[in-house]
Amino acid sequence: MNHNRNNNTKKNLMTGSKIIIESLINEGVDTIFGYPGGAVLNIYDELLNYKDKIKHVLVRHEQGAAHAADGYARASGKVGVVLVTSGPGATNTITGIATANMDSVPMVIITGQVPTNLIGNDAFQEADTVGITRPCTKHNYLVKDIKDLARTIKEAFYIASTGRPGPVLIDIPKDITSSVYEFDYPETVQLHGYNPTYFGHHIQIAKLASEILKAKKPLLYIGGGVISSNASAELFELAELLDLPITSTLMGLGGFPSCHPLFFGMLGMHGTYAANMAISNADFIVAIGARFDDRVTGKVEEFGRNAKFAHIDIDPSSIGKNVKIEIPVVGDVKSVLSSLLEVLNGRNEEISEAKYERLGWLEEINAWKYEHPLTYKMNDVIKPQYVIEKIYELTGGEAIIATEVGQSQMWTAQFYKFKNPRTLLTSGGLGTMGFGFPAAIGAQMAHPDKIVFDIAGDGSIQMNIQELATAVQYNLPVKIAIINNNFLGMIRQWQELFYHKRYSFSEMNVNPDFVKLAEAYGAVGLRAKDPDDVVPVIEKALSIKRPVIMDFIVDREESVYPMVAPGSPITGMLLV
Amino acid sequence: MEKTHILSITVENESGVLTRVAGLFSARGFNIDSICVAKTLEKNESKMIIATSGDAQILEQIVKQLNRLINVIKVQEFTDDDSVLRQTVLVKVNADETTKGDIFRIKEIFNGRIIDVSRNHYTLEVTGSEKKIDSLIDILRPLGIKDIVKTGIIALASAKKII
Ligand SMILES: Cc1ncc(C[n+]2csc(CCOP(=O)(O)OP(=O)(O)O)c2C)c(N)n1
């Protein structure tokens, strides 16, 4: 750096605001998503001096900032950064923070706070942000002394991005941003209570290796941990080495190429027939960076009822939470898988024997796959699944796909064949409608040259539609595909199946004209009403280097199948 | 089976730690029967002793979740066998000429002290195991307990265990 220290003057003195921004730069941050307000005005003023180093994306709602930072983080693997004001600014980010927390996404959220002398006074725009966000962050801080500011930021980034990643919030009172202190960014952190286990235990890994070799009907059940630890390459090597069939959770999609013959699709409530049957018939299941969520397991007592379980996860609290685990391996997925590969290295005879032994098992799963593939019936209206298939084909599976929540999300998971990690951005844990579009904006910021989609329902898209202005302002060519059924489709589906078609408040009787809406924002609007329109509309959208809304008017009462009723065993699938 | 569990939790002495720890219990519908917190000899460290009851599997989850908290340095689980568990109780009992003698005898048996006296009341201080405290209360109850306060359980790994 260029600040030569002069012995006579004080060293490197800065305002709190400058310390914050310099710290961010030290962390390699070049993009932040934010919205100004009184408590962060000092920081915003300083931000103008850093225009060449930090891009600030002005969203239209703080929830949008949180989801955008989240999408940025999921798509890039970097920490997403949010800057918002106190009180309503902070509370508006809560849904976004909880979403990131549930899906273990690394984020740092900086919130302004009223000046220290006013804290606890019900001051204007005061909220107990640290109190409110305690249960939905990995950790949070209130900075009460400028001396702690740089260290706190260092710790926040460290905590957010290591171990099981997650959002960390730093609440900074306004007076701290204007007071002055020496800036000296710490190189290391000292956290006595925080030492994530990175390497798996070698005895456990050896056990795992021999069980995998021994198993007649092994199955890998992968989750989001494969993606957050960047373990796709190791997973691929392992699967191919041993011919291990794979099923994935929603969060794990893209962690293994969907078109690979060893891949049998998503499992769980809307999983494939093959995947759910495989789980129930396997004799050894290795859960990798997955957490046995109830949407995955169905009736948990029946889940993998013929199998022994191994579980690789960085978070010990995920292991053995819902299902009894014979071989727990605590550690980073990537590191554990590469150790596992080392242990297997050279055991060629055992490996080829194991592969030979399980040929029948692969045949069995393939038979399930051909018996009940993912499918739908075409007719003269647009089928939502058809739209997703065409988006897949026309983007060659290379696009980054953010989703909203509901039927369109599930169809995306089923019919878009994800090839690469970090290309599906979806709110799996919290199931947040309104996540997809701002997340797509964040992803597009991280990858300006990639094609980024938000696949949305007509309900979800209206939860953060205001961000269209953001996309237009920053010229982010995000493509929004609205699967428009004029329903809160997933709700309608549950009401159809479990409430005798009593469609209580799930019909979207009034929707805006999405084409005109796009135009009003300065984006492009396209509509497809007929199956023949689908391909031309997608092609047109892809040719336009601006934000586009595609309004696909689809079959209104199409449902997502297979479906397992909540609480039922996952073999109890309703099929098309 | 529901059982009493004693957790000894070493934490960093930062504001909000108590809420974080307590929040974990309440978020999982786990009751805290008692909680004691004080600084240790280590600078910036406190120890919390939490008594709780619930099934072992949920407890295992709680221990794991506690370990996940950034400010939690160490979590130990204690049982009667491997630790010494103590709590202190202060009981104010009705005392008149006919019962004062009894109270004195009870005090002797329980190895306690009378720490406050008024015309109609004696206040006893007794330290011991949960069981001892319970039987003290049983014995005093017929005399009329005016008020009572317990410190909650504190615990230390037993010296035997370390040897
Ligand atoms: C913020 C939020 N509110 C409510 C829900 C409950 N919910 C789940 S799916 C769904 C319907 C979504 O409808 P739409 O976006 O039109 O998508 P579709 O299911 O029709 O594809 C609702 C209301 C939710 N997931 N998130």
Side-chain angles (χ1 to χ4, degrees):
Chain A
M1 265 184 229
N2 55 2
H3 35 251
N4 287 326
R5 288 194 176 172
N6 181 331
N7 284 339
N8 296 327
T9 56
K10 278 269 185 133
K11 307 167 260 175
N12 215 11
L13 286 179
M14 291 182 189
T15 62
S17 298
K18 203 168 164 68
I19 289 178
I20 293 167
I21 298 171
E22 285 290 338
S23 301
L24 293 178
I25 289 171
N26 268 277
E27 291 294 338
V29 174
D30 59 13
T31 306
I32 64 183
F33 301 87
Y35 206 90
V40 287
L41 279 180
N42 292 328
I43 309 176
Y44 267 87
D45 189 61
E46 193 60 54
L47 213 44
L48 265 195
N49 299 328
Y50 286 84
K51 264 181 130 171
D52 53 334
K53 289 195 176 136
I54 293 192
K55 283 172 263 172
H56 173 277
V57 178
L58 176 68
V59 295
R60 295 302 188 268
H61 185 302
E62 289 91 347
Q63 184 186 353
H67 291 321
D70 177 325
Y72 177 90
R74 291 186 206 228
S76 67
K78 294 195 268 184
V79 177
V81 180
V82 177
L83 173 60
V84 294
T85 193
S86 66
T91 54
N92 268 349
T93 63
I94 304 293
T95 304
I97 296 173
T99 302
N101 194 47
M102 286 289 266
D103 288 346
S104 309
V105 178
M107 265 166 61
V108 168
I109 305 96
I110 296 173
T111 52
Q113 183 52 280
V114 301
T116 32
N117 65 327
L118 290 181
I119 290 180
N121 270 352
D122 293 335
F124 177 64
Q125 294 197 326
E126 178 180 5
D128 176 7
T129 303
V130 167
I132 295 171
T133 57
R134 195 171 287 128
C136 64
T137 50
K138 182 171 176 186
H139 195 55
N140 63 15
Y141 295 92
L142 170 63
V143 180
K144 282 178 287 194
D145 189 331
I146 190 167
K147 289 196 191 81
D148 300 329
L149 185 56
R151 177 186 56 81
T152 303
I153 297 174
K154 176 83 194 173
E155 287 181 8
F157 274 85
Y158 179 73
I159 292 170
S161 58
T162 54
R164 176 176 180 169
V168 179
L169 182 141
I170 313 173
D171 201 24
I172 307 177
K174 187 168 186 179
D175 53 319
I176 304 256
T177 64
S178 57
S179 47
V180 172
Y181 193 66
E182 180 194 349
F183 178 63
D184 183 12
Y185 201 63
E187 307 232 314
T188 54
V189 295
Q190 284 180 329
L191 294 161
H192 297 299
Y194 181 70
N195 299 300
T197 310
Y198 189 78
F199 300 105
H201 196 287
H202 66 279
I203 294 182
Q204 295 300 90
I205 291 172
K207 247 200 240 170
L208 178 56
S210 52
E211 286 295 326
I212 291 188
L213 288 171
K214 251 200 291 178
K216 297 277 180 294
K217 298 182 169 193
L219 181 67
L220 304 183
Y221 143 45
I222 68 167
V226 168
I227 294 182
S228 55
S229 87
N230 299 313
S232 300
E234 289 76 8
L235 176 70
F236 191 85
E237 203 182 326
L238 178 72
E240 290 217 318
L241 178 71
L242 294 168
D243 274 350
L244 295 166
I246 298 188
T247 171
S248 172
T249 66
L250 177 64
M251 300 308 293
L253 292 177
F256 192 83
S258 302
C259 293
H260 194 285
L262 287 168
F263 191 74
F264 293 93
M266 186 168 74
L267 78 167
M269 181 173 276
H270 293 296
T272 63
Y273 183 74
N276 287 348
M277 292 303 285
I279 283 281
S280 308
N281 287 279
D283 66 358
F284 187 56
I285 297 173
V286 188
I288 307 178
R291 61 187 181 89
F292 297 85
D293 179 83
D294 54 279
R295 282 288 187 269
V296 163
T297 61
K299 188 177 181 193
V300 71
E301 297 78 15
E302 303 266 324
F303 185 73
R305 57 180 176 230
N306 295 308
K308 270 203 237 176
F309 283 95
H311 190 177
I312 306 169
D313 206 290
I314 188 120
D315 178 6
S317 73
S318 285
I319 297 183
K321 185 167 67 174
N322 304 332
V323 167
K324 195 169 163 283
I325 304 297
E326 249 92 357
I327 308 176
V329 189
V330 178
D332 172 66
V333 169
K334 186 185 182 76
S335 138
V336 171
L337 291 184
S338 40
S339 311
L340 185 61
L341 285 166
E342 269 171 45
V343 173
L344 290 165
N345 187 19
R347 294 161 77 167
N348 297 347
E349 243 164 72
E350 284 173 89
I351 289 172
S352 44
E353 187 169 341
K355 278 164 103 166
Y356 179 74
E357 289 277 338
R358 62 185 59 140
L359 282 175
W361 170 231
L362 288 175
E363 270 169 30
E364 209 176 331
I365 310 179
N366 273 307
W368 288 318
K369 183 171 158 181
Y370 293 112
E371 200 177 332
H372 295 291
L374 285 172
T375 183
Y376 59 94
K377 297 189 185 87
M378 276 297 261
N379 54 23
D380 53 0
V381 286
I382 301 176
K383 287 290 178 173
Q385 300 93 328
Y386 176 75
V387 178
I388 314 279
E389 265 180 0
K390 291 300 155 195
I391 293 175
Y392 165 67
E393 286 169 22
L394 293 170
T395 57
E398 298 287 349
I400 295 176
I401 308 285
T403 78
E404 303 293 341
V405 170
Q407 292 182 314
S408 58
Q409 177 189 33
M410 290 300 120
W411 285 316
T412 303
Q414 293 179 333
F415 290 92
Y416 197 96
K417 305 294 172 201
F418 291 92
K419 271 189 189 165
N420 302 310
R422 303 192 181 282
T423 55
L424 170 61
L425 318 177
T426 195
S427 168
L430 200 66
T432 307
M433 291 170 68
F435 165 82
F437 180 38
I441 288 178
Q444 190 81 77
M445 282 301 293
H447 296 288
D449 300 328
K450 290 204 174 159
I451 295 168
V452 180
F453 267 76
D454 173 38
I455 298 183
D458 49 295
S460 296
I461 193 60
Q462 295 183 65
M463 287 215 174
N464 274 315
I465 190 70
Q466 77 287 346
E467 299 307 328
L468 210 42
T470 312
V472 170
Q473 177 173 344
Y474 295 90
N475 202 15
L476 301 170
V478 171
K479 310 288 180 261
I480 303 174
I482 301 178
I483 308 298
N484 190 345
N485 50 17
N486 276 105
F487 265 119
L488 297 172
M490 188 57 94
I491 302 299
R492 186 208 60 72
Q493 177 170 344
W494 282 52
Q495 289 171 336
E496 175 189 331
L497 292 173
F498 310 123
Y499 295 89
H500 310 290
K501 289 204 176 189
R502 283 163 55 84
Y503 293 159
S504 174
F505 303 101
S506 54
E507 191 170 2
M508 287 260 136
N509 300 43
V510 174
N511 268 332
D513 178 332
F514 288 110
V515 171
K516 283 196 189 143
L517 184 92
E519 285 161 1
Y521 272 105
V524 177
L526 305 171
R527 178 169 292 127
K529 288 182 171 161
D530 187 274
D532 292 338
D533 300 338
V534 171
V535 169
V537 160
I538 300 171
E539 280 173 340
K540 176 106 193 273
L542 287 170
S543 73
I544 299 171
K545 300 284 165 259
R546 287 163 57 196
V548 180
I549 287 186
M550 289 157 272
D551 188 19
F552 296 99
I553 311 301
V554 299
D555 193 349
R556 292 197 68 203
E557 301 204 16
E558 184 71 16
S559 288
V560 182
Y561 292 111
M563 176 169 191
V564 178
S568 302
I570 58 170
T571 43
M573 284 166 276
L574 306 170
L575 299 162
V576 181
Chain B
M1 215 218 8
E2 297 253 321
K3 239 184 90 181
T4 299
H5 303 273
I6 311 293
L7 298 177
S8 169
I9 308 165
T10 311
V11 298
E12 281 178 312
N13 220 343
E14 287 195 9
S15 68
V17 196
L18 182 60
T19 331
R20 283 182 209 281
V21 170
L24 260 185
F25 283 77
S26 64
R28 281 160 188 77
F30 233 60
N31 260 333
I32 293 180
D33 297 332
S34 76
I35 180 165
C36 298
V37 194
K39 288 188 180 173
T40 66
L41 297 182
E42 228 41 64
K43 200 175 135 233
N44 256 329
E45 269 185 18
S46 287
K47 203 174 248 190
M48 298 184 185
I49 308 290
I50 293 185
T52 180
S53 41
D55 82 56
Q57 207 204 328
I58 303 181
L59 186 83
E60 186 189 329
Q61 241 323 285
I62 289 204
V63 170
K64 284 177 172 175
Q65 297 282 350
L66 283 169
N67 276 312
R68 243 172 85 165
L69 293 179
I70 309 292
N71 301 133
V72 168
I73 298 169
K74 188 174 168 189
V75 185
Q76 285 173 287
E77 207 193 321
F78 287 146
T79 65
D80 292 1
D81 309 336
D82 58 13
S83 59
V84 280
L85 309 176
R86 285 292 176 273
Q87 72 174 315
T88 294
V89 65
L90 306 181
V91 206
K92 193 189 274 178
V93 285
N94 294 334
D96 58 34
E97 288 314 319
T98 60
T99 59
K100 276 180 184 166
D102 289 344
I103 295 174
F104 264 96
R105 265 193 304 283
I106 294 168
K107 178 210 78 163
E108 288 299 317
I109 294 167
F110 282 86
N111 212 358
R113 296 195 295 164
I114 291 172
I115 56 170
D116 193 26
V117 181
S118 72
R119 189 128 62 87
N120 301 323
H121 298 109
Y122 279 4
T123 301
L124 257 75
E125 173 195 315
V126 171
T127 296
S129 66
E130 180 106 275
K131 231 165 140 187
K132 177 171 164 188
I133 306 281
D134 286 347
S135 47
L136 172 76
I137 293 167
D138 281 349
I139 292 174
L140 290 178
R141 195 171 272 135
L143 305 180
I145 294 177
K146 186 86 197 322
D147 205 353
I148 181 162
V149 62
K150 297 187 202 172
T151 57
I153 296 172
I154 55 171
L156 205 58
S158 119
K160 274 182 273 169
K161 194 186 179 189
I162 295 164
I163 301 163

